[in-house]
Amino acid sequence: MDLKDKLISSFMAFENNVDIEHPVHDVRTEAMKNFEMKGFPSKKEEAWKYTSLKGLEKIDFSIFPKEENALEYRDVKRYFLHEIDTYKIVFIDGIYSSYLSETTHDGVDICLMSSALTKPMYKPVIDVYFNKVASSDESLTSLNTAFSREGAYIYIPKNKIPKKPIEIIHFATGNEASLLLQPRNLIIAEENAELQVIERHQSLTSNDVLSNSVTEIFAAENAIVDYYKIQNDNSKASLIDNTYIDQKSRSVVKIHTFSFGGKLIRNNLNFYQNGERIDSTMKGVTILGEKQHVDHHTLVHHKQPNCESHQDYKGIYGENSTGVFNGKIIVDKIAQKTDAFQQNNNILISDKATINSKPQLEIFADDVKCSHGCTIGQLDEEALFYLQSRGIPKREARALLMYAFANNVLESVRIPELKTRINKLIAKKLGVNLGFNL
């Protein structure tokens, strides 16, 4: 039985354990029909031209963990932003860990998707928001929707700001020989609300792990959302991350993606601007080695006038690693006065590393300011020689140039402790200790 057939048969068992009278049941059923029809994406599709899932499809993943596993905080403390106090929503092999978590209902809801999907008090919100921006065109999003049961549920009412940032962390322990995880997150910031979220998927095992994650984010008028994704996993962990953002007038949403490790990572990041004077920002830093593969696919759909979007992705690729960047900006005819910027800069530090970059613009309005660009090159030898002539060893000089290359992405990180943590991760990835922060 191949993975697709196993998932279809497992869905029947899954349905036996959930309330089939619940309105979400019909959503799940339609999603599974969509996945059954489309199957896994292949390289024959333009959007997946440079990323193959064939290797993952051959693995006999466990769909449901057979038993719960516990973790001690001291053993996983380094994966938390422990320098500051945060709310925490933690999952171990897909199962919520109350021991490692800190949730709240004090003026805001920072809790579990399983509660939101089953308790009547959340039904009005679920009916309005659940699966309303996630795309049925993506078969893996449909797969996640079909099995949607657990993840983070965050609801920030009008004019509210949580007392501290929110961490969402998914641990895989290796209890199973290979495990497929499908977390589903729903994040809603009502009018004038504000929040900061840090998300991490972390495997603690050398066993195969695949996370097929979907996050829906809704930012109402004047809402501000800062979302940080830390992707620094081991060589047996793969991640397919689908994030969909619905923005209303004068909202600001910024998503930073730091991709430093993993077997295969695919980031599908989709912004839909449904209002005027919206600001959408996507920034990313990718540093890869070995045979790692990271694929960034971004979409910004400008549907209304007087909006902005900013994309800035930096990539450093070594050894036999592969990078992909495909960024699309769509400007509708009505979306006059749009200001859209997109830039993808890459450095290859190995002759065997590969980057495939494809910026795209589809503009149907005539009064806009739109630009896109891509560069692929190597470190500046003259700059390297200059630093060495000032007494800086070659290895540190190379790292310094790469730090400077990524600087403008890091400067917009609004949590100082997280910025320091990212700096340390970059230094470790580059194999140096520079002794300063950007």
Side-chain angles (χ1 to χ4, degrees):
M1 182 185 296
D2 65 15
L3 183 56
K4 179 185 175 183
D5 291 337
K6 184 176 183 178
L7 287 162
I8 293 170
S9 62
S10 296
F11 178 71
M12 299 176 187
F14 173 78
E15 284 288 82
N16 290 333
N17 294 316
V18 296
D19 182 7
I20 62 172
E21 300 300 324
H22 195 283
V24 174
H25 167 72
D26 293 337
V27 176
R28 290 190 182 113
T29 302
E30 284 301 312
M32 179 47 72
K33 288 179 181 178
N34 192 45
F35 173 74
E36 189 173 358
M37 178 181 67
K38 293 184 175 182
F40 284 93
S42 72
K43 296 182 76 171
K44 293 180 181 179
E45 301 174 37
E46 183 65 26
W48 290 83
K49 184 177 180 180
Y50 301 109
T51 299
S52 173
L53 300 180
K54 288 294 184 185
L56 294 174
E57 291 178 57
K58 294 176 182 177
I59 299 173
D60 185 23
F61 286 105
S62 295
I63 310 302
F64 310 111
K66 296 181 179 63
E67 60 183 55
E68 293 187 33
N69 199 2
L71 293 172
E72 291 296 326
Y73 178 70
R74 64 177 180 270
D75 296 329
V76 293
K77 178 181 177 181
R78 64 186 180 276
Y79 301 116
F80 292 90
L81 192 62
H82 54 79
E83 296 87 352
I84 59 172
D85 192 17
T86 61
Y87 294 114
K88 301 171 182 66
I89 309 175
V90 182
F91 304 93
I92 302 173
D93 297 330
I95 300 171
Y96 173 66
S97 169
S98 58
Y99 173 67
L100 293 175
S101 298
E102 181 187 342
T103 59
T104 185
H105 296 286
D106 183 14
V108 300
D109 287 320
I110 299 172
C111 56
L112 300 180
M113 196 67 181
S114 56
S115 296
L117 289 174
T118 55
K119 294 184 178 180
M121 63 182 291
Y122 297 109
K123 186 178 183 299
V125 176
I126 293 297
D127 288 347
V128 171
Y129 293 106
F130 178 73
N131 205 49
K132 293 301 191 289
V133 67
S135 172
S136 60
D137 293 335
E138 285 285 343
S139 65
L140 294 176
T141 296
S142 294
L143 175 63
N144 177 283
T145 301
F147 286 94
S148 58
R149 179 168 58 181
E150 195 56 287
Y153 173 81
I154 301 171
Y155 179 82
I156 313 300
K158 183 178 179 180
N159 300 321
K160 294 286 186 178
I161 301 176
K163 296 176 182 176
K164 47 195 177 184
I166 304 159
E167 291 189 86
I168 305 171
I169 302 185
H170 301 270
F171 290 113
T173 65
N175 257 13
E176 311 288 335
S178 53
L179 181 63
L180 172 61
L181 299 171
Q182 303 208 71
R184 181 65 171 243
N185 303 319
L186 178 60
I187 299 169
I188 302 150
E190 294 286 17
E191 186 177 348
N192 294 310
E194 184 175 344
L195 75 156
Q196 296 176 320
V197 180
I198 304 156
E199 182 186 30
R200 183 167 191 156
H201 299 260
Q202 191 65 50
S203 174
L204 308 174
T205 173
S206 58
N207 295 348
D208 285 299
V209 177
L210 171 59
S211 297
N212 177 37
S213 177
V214 172
T215 300
E216 292 182 285
I217 300 173
F218 294 87
E221 291 188 7
N222 296 300
I224 300 174
V225 179
D226 268 343
Y227 205 102
Y228 303 95
K229 299 173 182 286
I230 301 177
Q231 301 168 346
N232 187 34
D233 224 328
N234 66 38
S235 60
K236 298 287 280 185
S238 297
L239 170 65
I240 299 168
D241 187 286
N242 298 281
T243 302
Y244 301 91
I245 302 98
D246 180 294
Q247 289 186 254
K248 295 298 189 286
S249 295
R250 297 177 299 281
S251 63
V252 178
V253 177
K254 297 181 180 180
I255 295 189
H256 292 70
T257 305
F258 301 101
S259 303
F260 301 143
K263 180 180 180 180
L264 181 150
I265 299 174
R266 167 75 177 224
N267 290 304
N268 293 325
L269 185 55
N270 306 276
F271 279 77
Y272 302 98
Q273 296 189 336
N274 294 302
E276 292 194 40
R277 306 196 183 283
I278 289 171
D279 190 345
S280 306
T281 297
M282 294 136 278
K283 291 191 174 186
V285 177
T286 302
I287 304 176
L288 297 185
E290 301 174 347
K291 293 183 179 180
Q292 296 169 334
H293 181 108
V294 172
D295 184 345
H296 295 288
H297 259 63
T298 67
L299 166 68
V300 184
H301 193 164
H302 291 268
K303 297 183 177 183
Q304 296 293 330
N306 303 303
C307 294
E308 298 182 18
S309 66
H310 307 272
Q311 299 184 59
D312 193 359
Y313 280 76
K314 307 283 190 179
I316 300 172
Y317 302 93
E319 298 179 298
N320 293 289
S321 62
T322 301
V324 182
F325 176 81
N326 188 311
K328 179 183 284 189
I329 298 171
I330 301 174
V331 183
D332 286 352
K333 188 174 182 179
I334 194 177
Q336 304 292 343
K337 303 294 182 181
T338 290
D339 184 352
F341 170 82
Q342 181 191 92
Q343 187 69 34
N344 174 226
N345 300 112
N346 305 282
I347 292 177
L348 301 178
I349 56 175
S350 164
D351 292 339
K352 296 180 180 179
T354 304
I355 174 67
N356 301 284
S357 185
K358 184 183 178 184
Q360 294 176 268
L361 291 178
E362 294 183 12
I363 303 174
F364 302 98
D366 51 21
D367 186 9
V368 299
K369 180 183 177 183
C370 298
S371 64
H372 66 158
C374 163
T375 63
I376 301 171
Q378 297 175 319
L379 289 174
D380 187 335
E381 290 296 330
E382 289 188 8
L384 191 60
F385 175 77
Y386 175 82
L387 292 176
Q388 288 180 269
S389 71
R390 293 299 183 269
I392 301 176
K394 185 174 182 179
R395 183 178 176 184
E396 281 73 13
R398 285 169 59 87
L400 182 59
L401 289 176
M402 287 187 275
Y403 253 68
F405 175 72
N407 181 33
N408 63 335
V409 173
L410 289 173
E411 65 187 12
S412 56
V413 174
R414 295 177 62 203
I415 304 175
E417 295 82 2
L418 179 62
K419 185 176 181 180
T420 299
R421 176 72 66 89
I422 298 298
N423 270 286
K424 290 178 179 178
L425 285 175
I426 292 176
K428 185 176 181 180
K429 190 73 177 177
L430 298 175
V432 295
N433 181 10
L434 295 177
F436 64 88
N437 294 329
L438 287 173

PDB file of all heavy atoms in Angstrom, residues 70 80 129 213 215 303 394 400 417:
ATOM      1  N   ALA A  70       6.565  11.439  26.961  1.00  0.00           N
ATOM      2  CA  ALA A  70       6.767  12.632  27.788  1.00  0.00           C
ATOM      3  C   ALA A  70       8.181  13.149  27.619  1.00  0.00           C
ATOM      4  O   ALA A  70       9.117  12.386  27.344  1.00  0.00           O
ATOM      5  CB  ALA A  70       6.493  12.309  29.256  1.00  0.00           C
ATOM      6  N   PHE A  80      13.241  26.432  23.332  1.00  0.00           N
ATOM      7  CA  PHE A  80      12.324  27.508  23.701  1.00  0.00           C
ATOM      8  C   PHE A  80      13.082  28.837  23.751  1.00  0.00           C
ATOM      9  O   PHE A  80      14.302  28.865  23.933  1.00  0.00           O
ATOM     10  CB  PHE A  80      11.711  27.247  25.075  1.00  0.00           C
ATOM     11  CG  PHE A  80      10.767  26.086  25.123  1.00  0.00           C
ATOM     12  CD1 PHE A  80      11.235  24.806  25.408  1.00  0.00           C
ATOM     13  CD2 PHE A  80       9.420  26.260  24.893  1.00  0.00           C
ATOM     14  CE1 PHE A  80      10.370  23.725  25.466  1.00  0.00           C
ATOM     15  CE2 PHE A  80       8.546  25.185  24.942  1.00  0.00           C
ATOM     16  CZ  PHE A  80       9.024  23.915  25.230  1.00  0.00           C
ATOM     17  N   TYR A 129     -14.259  31.441  10.372  1.00  0.00           N
ATOM     18  CA  TYR A 129     -12.855  31.491   9.970  1.00  0.00           C
ATOM     19  C   TYR A 129     -12.241  30.156   9.533  1.00  0.00           C
ATOM     20  O   TYR A 129     -11.345  30.153   8.675  1.00  0.00           O
ATOM     21  CB  TYR A 129     -12.006  32.060  11.121  1.00  0.00           C
ATOM     22  CG  TYR A 129     -12.277  33.502  11.427  1.00  0.00           C
ATOM     23  CD1 TYR A 129     -12.988  33.877  12.564  1.00  0.00           C
ATOM     24  CD2 TYR A 129     -11.840  34.516  10.572  1.00  0.00           C
ATOM     25  CE1 TYR A 129     -13.235  35.210  12.857  1.00  0.00           C
ATOM     26  CE2 TYR A 129     -12.083  35.843  10.846  1.00  0.00           C
ATOM     27  CZ  TYR A 129     -12.785  36.191  11.988  1.00  0.00           C
ATOM     28  OH  TYR A 129     -13.030  37.517  12.262  1.00  0.00           O
ATOM     29  N   SER A 213       1.997  20.965   7.671  1.00  0.00           N
ATOM     30  CA  SER A 213       1.384  21.961   8.548  1.00  0.00           C
ATOM     31  C   SER A 213       0.588  22.996   7.751  1.00  0.00           C
ATOM     32  O   SER A 213       1.009  23.408   6.666  1.00  0.00           O
ATOM     33  CB  SER A 213       2.487  22.658   9.359  1.00  0.00           C
ATOM     34  OG  SER A 213       1.955  23.674  10.167  1.00  0.00           O
ATOM     35  N   THR A 215      -1.449  26.780   8.480  1.00  0.00           N
ATOM     36  CA  THR A 215      -1.772  27.882   9.383  1.00  0.00           C
ATOM     37  C   THR A 215      -2.617  28.901   8.637  1.00  0.00           C
ATOM     38  O   THR A 215      -2.254  29.340   7.538  1.00  0.00           O
ATOM     39  CB  THR A 215      -0.499  28.569   9.915  1.00  0.00           C
ATOM     40  OG1 THR A 215       0.290  27.607  10.617  1.00  0.00           O
ATOM     41  CG2 THR A 215      -0.840  29.722  10.837  1.00  0.00           C
ATOM     42  N   LYS A 303      -5.563  43.096  -4.019  1.00  0.00           N
ATOM     43  CA  LYS A 303      -6.935  43.140  -4.522  1.00  0.00           C
ATOM     44  C   LYS A 303      -7.572  44.523  -4.417  1.00  0.00           C
ATOM     45  O   LYS A 303      -8.641  44.752  -5.006  1.00  0.00           O
ATOM     46  CB  LYS A 303      -7.806  42.137  -3.749  1.00  0.00           C
ATOM     47  CG  LYS A 303      -7.382  40.689  -3.922  1.00  0.00           C
ATOM     48  CD  LYS A 303      -8.337  39.764  -3.177  1.00  0.00           C
ATOM     49  CE  LYS A 303      -7.978  38.308  -3.395  1.00  0.00           C
ATOM     50  NZ  LYS A 303      -8.936  37.392  -2.746  1.00  0.00           N
ATOM     51  N   LYS A 394      40.692  34.190   7.253  1.00  0.00           N
ATOM     52  CA  LYS A 394      39.823  33.993   6.090  1.00  0.00           C
ATOM     53  C   LYS A 394      38.458  33.436   6.475  1.00  0.00           C
ATOM     54  O   LYS A 394      37.419  33.893   5.974  1.00  0.00           O
ATOM     55  CB  LYS A 394      40.504  33.074   5.077  1.00  0.00           C
ATOM     56  CG  LYS A 394      39.699  32.922   3.773  1.00  0.00           C
ATOM     57  CD  LYS A 394      40.470  32.116   2.740  1.00  0.00           C
ATOM     58  CE  LYS A 394      39.670  32.018   1.433  1.00  0.00           C
ATOM     59  NZ  LYS A 394      40.400  31.261   0.399  1.00  0.00           N
ATOM     60  N   LEU A 400      31.859  36.925   8.210  1.00  0.00           N
ATOM     61  CA  LEU A 400      31.470  38.324   8.393  1.00  0.00           C
ATOM     62  C   LEU A 400      30.735  38.840   7.161  1.00  0.00           C
ATOM     63  O   LEU A 400      29.714  39.539   7.273  1.00  0.00           O
ATOM     64  CB  LEU A 400      32.719  39.164   8.664  1.00  0.00           C
ATOM     65  CG  LEU A 400      32.517  40.653   8.923  1.00  0.00           C
ATOM     66  CD1 LEU A 400      31.611  40.865  10.133  1.00  0.00           C
ATOM     67  CD2 LEU A 400      33.855  41.351   9.133  1.00  0.00           C
ATOM     68  N   GLU A 417      15.410  39.323  22.110  1.00  0.00           N
ATOM     69  CA  GLU A 417      15.951  38.027  22.514  1.00  0.00           C
ATOM     70  C   GLU A 417      15.911  37.020  21.370  1.00  0.00           C
ATOM     71  O   GLU A 417      16.802  36.179  21.238  1.00  0.00           O
ATOM     72  CB  GLU A 417      15.166  37.486  23.721  1.00  0.00           C
ATOM     73  CG  GLU A 417      15.314  38.328  24.978  1.00  0.00           C
ATOM     74  CD  GLU A 417      14.401  39.538  25.010  1.00  0.00           C
ATOM     75  OE1 GLU A 417      13.590  39.723  24.062  1.00  0.00           O
ATOM     76  OE2 GLU A 417      14.494  40.332  25.972  1.00  0.00           O
TER      77      GLU A 417
END
